[in-house]
Amino acid sequence: MSFRFIHTADLHLDAPLKAIALRDPDLAQAVGVASRTALSRIVDMCIDESVIFLVIAGDLWDGEHSSTKTPRFLKQELLRLHAAGIRCFIIRGNHDALARQTGELDLPENTILFGGRASTAELDVEGHRIAIHGLSFREPHAPESLLPRYPAPKPGAFNIGMMHTSLNGSPGHDNYAPCSLSDLDAHGYDYWALGHIHRRTEHIGQAAIVMPGTPQGRDIGEAGASSVTLVHVTDDNAVTLEQCTVACLRFDQIEMDCDGVSEWAELLTMLERYIRQAGQAPRREEHLVIRPVLRGVTPLAWRIARDLDRLTEEARAFAADAGIWIDKLELGIASEEDTGSFAGAHLPAELVRTVLEDLPGDPGLAVAMTQAAHDLLRDLPPDLRDILGQDETDLALRCRELLADGAPIILAGLTSDKAV
């Protein structure tokens, strides 16, 4: 008999959104409930698709919880699965490690939460044997591979391994339980249900190895479509993967070419056009949050930087009329005078492109800036230390944003040095 199950991870229920809240409290409120909506829709999909079980590969929660609000919501959703006869299997990741959680309610009978030692749950679905192997993080950090702790595959069963891992590493993610695709492939399981990296990846070899990505993005660092995976398994254990969207809200970054724009009214007309086009583009999500990125060479560069607050409010007015949200405006522009002088004897035009486009994405510079941020945070009073986020991922994202914002300032400094 064939069967189906759904694989998800990294919901980060009720994750703090302080960076967004500082810019737009209404947007923070909309994003704050999106993770709950995603979980409810995952449960709806499980019921509609008549799956046998749901696997959640870590970071269902986001840090410690002192109230029962979130646990109560989670239990209600798990009880919906229970009423439909659908099992649920959960492992802990770095954000919801066993040592971090408080205030939880007892799980219903249909749900298995794997502990800090690897164990196996076995099912028999009309003669089709299924073995699900799982291991939760005990502590928020797992610097070594967890793979040696997973049991051997059960003979004659469809074997699923649940693991929260950074694999061989990913930009913006710390190193957690590192391992290689080849090592996972060689372990002998049929399917690896992974979590931790918020971008979807699939590898089909001896095993199907799937990182479903987050089902609901939380900020512009998680731009684009989010997904969960509906897995179809045939009688001969062949696997088919279906990428499904449950998100109610989507983040996207849009590039605006400001080359040659010389009038403020022209800039506003262009900004409105880009925003309306983004709002009219086909998408499955009900809500859209965009970050316009202004690039190019324009005589308005200095005025745009000076009046960025005013331009942001213009953008938010256009967005509200188009039924979407603005995260913030990002600048990657220079004036004609600046680029003209850089293109001369003192500095090549390529330097301008390097500063505006390459530096914000340079991994080495990102590491150095993150370390500088750590040094700064140690010197701040305790009540101000959340200003750059509450974990490493938030800190790295905020550092990238600051680096992009600071690129035009670097150009201005180079211009000033030359003029002296």
Side-chain angles (χ1 to χ4, degrees), residues 246-293:
V246 295
C248 66
L249 185 147
R250 176 184 179 124
F251 290 88
D252 266 330
Q253 185 168 289
I254 62 172
E255 301 278 330
M256 282 183 53
D257 182 4
C258 298
D259 265 343
V261 176
S262 58
E263 299 293 335
W264 189 262
E266 182 185 2
L267 176 67
L268 294 182
T269 299
M270 176 184 293
L271 181 61
E272 180 179 15
R273 184 174 73 251
Y274 272 89
I275 289 173
R276 291 196 180 279
Q277 287 174 348
Q280 293 167 0
R283 65 178 189 273
R284 294 183 179 181
E285 302 84 356
E286 297 97 303
H287 305 290
L288 175 65
V289 182
I290 63 170
R291 176 180 292 184
V293 182

Side-chain angles (χ1 to χ4, degrees), residues 105-309:
L105 304 181
D106 291 340
L107 296 173
E109 295 178 0
N110 68 316
T111 302
I112 290 180
L113 171 62
F114 289 96
R117 291 185 177 181
S119 59
T120 303
E122 297 189 60
L123 309 175
D124 192 311
V125 181
E126 298 186 15
H128 202 141
R129 291 183 59 212
I130 305 167
I132 303 175
H133 313 273
L135 170 64
S136 286
F137 279 25
R138 285 185 178 274
E139 302 292 337
H141 298 284
E144 299 178 353
S145 174
L146 300 177
L147 184 58
R149 298 165 59 181
Y150 279 73
K154 294 286 185 180
F158 183 85
N159 286 269
I160 300 172
M162 298 177 62
M163 181 185 290
H164 202 75
T165 173
S166 60
L167 292 174
N168 286 327
S170 177
H173 291 81
D174 287 340
N175 206 30
Y176 290 99
C179 62
S180 68
L181 290 173
S182 59
D183 288 340
L184 291 174
D185 220 15
H187 196 73
Y189 292 174
D190 300 285
Y191 185 93
W192 278 101
L194 305 183
H196 182 62
I197 299 173
H198 290 195
R199 290 289 182 188
R200 180 181 183 84
T201 58
E202 298 177 3
H203 170 82
I204 306 297
Q206 296 296 318
I209 304 173
V210 179
M211 188 77 70
T214 179
Q216 174 59 70
R218 296 177 296 162
D219 52 47
I220 202 68
E222 297 169 356
S226 303
S227 72
V228 300
T229 303
L230 176 60
V231 185
H232 305 253
V233 182
T234 62
D235 291 338
D236 59 356
N237 286 350
V239 173
T240 302
L241 306 174
E242 184 177 344
Q243 180 178 346
C244 303
T245 297
V246 295
C248 66
L249 185 147
R250 176 184 179 124
F251 290 88
D252 266 330
Q253 185 168 289
I254 62 172
E255 301 278 330
M256 282 183 53
D257 182 4
C258 298
D259 265 343
V261 176
S262 58
E263 299 293 335
W264 189 262
E266 182 185 2
L267 176 67
L268 294 182
T269 299
M270 176 184 293
L271 181 61
E272 180 179 15
R273 184 174 73 251
Y274 272 89
I275 289 173
R276 291 196 180 279
Q277 287 174 348
Q280 293 167 0
R283 65 178 189 273
R284 294 183 179 181
E285 302 84 356
E286 297 97 303
H287 305 290
L288 175 65
V289 182
I290 63 170
R291 176 180 292 184
V293 182
L294 282 63
R295 300 201 185 278
V297 178
T298 167
L300 293 174
W302 183 85
R303 182 179 176 187
I304 290 172
R306 185 196 67 180
D307 296 335
L308 184 59
D309 55 346

Side-chain angles (χ1 to χ4, degrees), residues 295-366:
R295 300 201 185 278
V297 178
T298 167
L300 293 174
W302 183 85
R303 182 179 176 187
I304 290 172
R306 185 196 67 180
D307 296 335
L308 184 59
D309 55 346
R310 175 184 169 189
L311 190 61
T312 299
E313 289 306 308
E314 295 277 10
R316 286 182 173 150
F318 295 144
D321 193 51
I324 61 178
W325 302 82
I326 293 290
D327 169 49
K328 61 180 288 189
L329 300 189
E330 183 175 314
L331 302 185
I333 54 175
S335 71
E336 292 171 336
E337 289 183 359
D338 290 342
T339 55
S341 62
F342 290 151
H346 297 277
L347 293 171
E350 183 179 351
L351 179 58
V352 179
R353 292 192 296 272
T354 298
V355 171
L356 293 178
E357 300 175 14
D358 297 341
L359 285 184
D362 183 82
L365 184 56

Side-chain angles (χ1 to χ4, degrees), residues 52-56 78 81 86-90 110-113:
I52 302 301
F53 53 85
L54 167 67
V55 296
I56 303 176
L78 294 175
L81 290 176
I86 299 170
R87 306 282 297 274
C88 183
F89 301 90
I90 303 172
N110 68 316
T111 302
I112 290 180
L113 171 62

